Amino acid sequence: MAIRQGRTGRWKVENGYMEVVGGSGDIATKQKFGDYQLHVEFAEPSPPTGKSQERGNSGVFLAGLYEVQVLDSYDNYTYADGEASAIYGQSPPLVNASRPPGEWQSYDIVFESPRFADGKVTSPGYVTVFHNGVVTQNHTVLLGPSVHHALPVWKPHDPRMPLKLQDHHMPVRFRNIWIRPLADQ
């Protein structure tokens, strides 16, 4: 992973994981990917502090634009399309598969990148998420890039884009991240 937006790398790296250091910035891959299978493991802060979106908030941004929400959703109520494994602001998870804070969790994600021609979407892109082995998004159609409390608006982009992890000012840990490119559709 590389640091985005010209910021110096201040995420903590130790004991086989990296941890968000609030205010240090998002990180993203240097390599760009089209359609892929992604595996990422994360752990929420323990003991938990805060509630709703102020508890273990981060995100996995597919193509740097489409957020699969990372949140401590164990015994923590928030809005439906902001829960763990939601396509943020677009699609709530089918079920809450969250483990208690401090336990390692996993996302296995299949991402089909949106396609554009002449400035218009020709294929919207799709996301399937297995959260801790449970299907929480099943070939979910993307509505556009993730935005906060607004309707998404499509912005044409290359089908191959970087993967990004979000700094949302909370010490979420990540490890064992791998991407397996799929034949672009």
Side-chain angles (χ1 to χ4, degrees), residues 3-78:
I3 302 302
R4 296 286 297 212
Q5 304 170 345
R7 299 179 183 172
T8 57
R10 293 184 301 183
W11 283 38
K12 183 177 8 174
V13 178
E14 64 184 22
N15 301 320
Y17 65 81
M18 58 186 173
E19 179 177 298
V20 177
V21 174
S24 61
D26 302 334
I27 60 173
T29 60
K30 290 181 181 180
Q31 185 175 349
K32 296 178 179 182
F33 302 93
D35 300 342
Y36 53 82
Q37 175 186 356
L38 168 69
H39 177 86
V40 59
E41 296 174 9
F42 62 95
E44 300 293 348
S46 181
T49 59
K51 61 182 180 176
S52 186
Q53 294 293 299
E54 296 302 317
R55 193 161 131 186
N57 194 335
S58 186
V60 175
F61 280 80
L62 311 170
L65 298 168
Y66 312 100
E67 181 181 6
V68 176
Q69 175 76 342
V70 173
L71 187 79
D72 179 355
S73 289
Y74 185 84
D75 199 23
N76 179 33
Y77 299 101
T78 192

Side-chain angles (χ1 to χ4, degrees), residues 88-183:
Y88 186 80
Q90 299 182 36
S91 178
L94 296 170
V95 65
N96 182 347
S98 296
R99 294 181 178 150
E103 290 188 20
W104 285 101
Q105 306 193 54
S106 66
Y107 283 162
D108 288 289
I109 300 170
V110 177
F111 174 63
E112 296 175 45
S113 184
R115 302 299 197 274
F116 302 91
D118 301 320
K120 297 185 186 213
V121 66
T122 58
S123 177
Y126 301 89
V127 178
T128 298
V129 179
F130 292 83
H131 181 190
N132 296 325
V134 178
V135 175
T136 56
Q137 299 288 336
N138 186 12
H139 202 67
T140 302
V141 177
L142 292 171
L143 305 176
S146 296
V147 291
H148 181 65
H149 291 280
L151 294 174
V153 176
W154 282 109
K155 298 173 187 169
H157 61 78
D158 190 89
R160 300 176 62 79
M161 300 281 286
L163 171 70
K164 180 175 78 174
L165 299 178
Q166 183 184 41
D167 167 8
H168 206 288
H169 303 282
M170 296 173 201
V172 177
R173 294 177 176 176
F174 293 92
R175 72 175 187 191
N176 196 19
I177 301 167
W178 53 263
I179 296 175
R180 183 177 69 94
L182 302 174

